[in-house]
Amino acid sequence: MSDTLLEVREITKRFGGFVALNQVSLVVARGERLGLIGPNGSGKTTLINCIAGALPTDGGSIHFDGFDISGRAAHQRARLGIARSFQIPRPFHSMSNVENLVIPLEYAAGDRHGGNVDAEAREILARVGLSDRADKSCSGLTQVDMRRLELARALAARPTLLIVDEVMAGLAHAEVDEILAILQEINDQGITIVMIEHIMRAVMGFSQRIAVLDAGEKIADGDPESVVGDPRVERAYLGE
Ligand code: ADP
Ligand code: MG
């Protein structure tokens, strides 16, 4: 088993004539906590969409767990172990929190039927601190609890790689710490995490390494201290 879980090789993504990603390469090691930062519009979510298979690329290749997944559909990548949260959570509002996990859980199980899906759903809700609201409708959740549910939905796919896209945006200081603790625990259980985040104290404290995008290009990649001290990174943020 190689130490590399994900390898993005020089991927390019265009929207019409606009180049959203220009030959971006990125390697993520098994078990790693990687921060992905960059000004608004720099291509972070687009990169995640390309990795998860929500968007086709216009060049380059993506390798995951030893497979070239470049041509695979999003659901195949999910089955291989790639899960992501969405910047704007979209749960099924008519369902309870536990019911919201049943569909991704049954889907992740694929051919191996038989497990107790309800018990698994409750176990995942416990991991994100939503046990006491398992049977309540998700439409009544507070903002921080909605983020917990979004994490739970991603975990229900039983991922080896979890990509979280600004899952802490708009939360209060203490709530950010709660989500960080959940993510740290998920990582402690062996799940590799890529964190897209604007809250610098969160991404700096959490990440073992940080990669920076600016205008569709990777401009830095290294340990958090040297990356934030990099003049190119400072310039990228000054223009924001
Ligand atoms: P970030 O997540 O870093 O804020 P995005 O990846 O969302 O940035 O967007 C990068 C650039 O690509 C932006 O200029 C955005 O407007 C553009 N973009 C993203 N998605 C689309 C799309 N589906 N169609 C056209 N342009 C898009
Ligand atoms: Mg984004």
Side-chain angles (χ1 to χ4, degrees), residues 119-138:
E120 275 189 63
R122 284 170 202 279
E123 177 258 316
I124 292 169
L125 288 175
R127 281 165 83 183
V128 301
L130 279 180
S131 287
D132 54 340
R133 282 175 287 277
D135 297 297
K136 300 234 165 72
S137 159
C138 77

Side-chain angles (χ1 to χ4, degrees), residues 27-45:
V27 173
V28 184
R30 262 175 226 285
E32 194 175 16
R33 296 186 303 279
L34 175 80
L36 179 61
I37 67 171
N40 277 320
S42 56
K44 304 180 297 295
T45 298

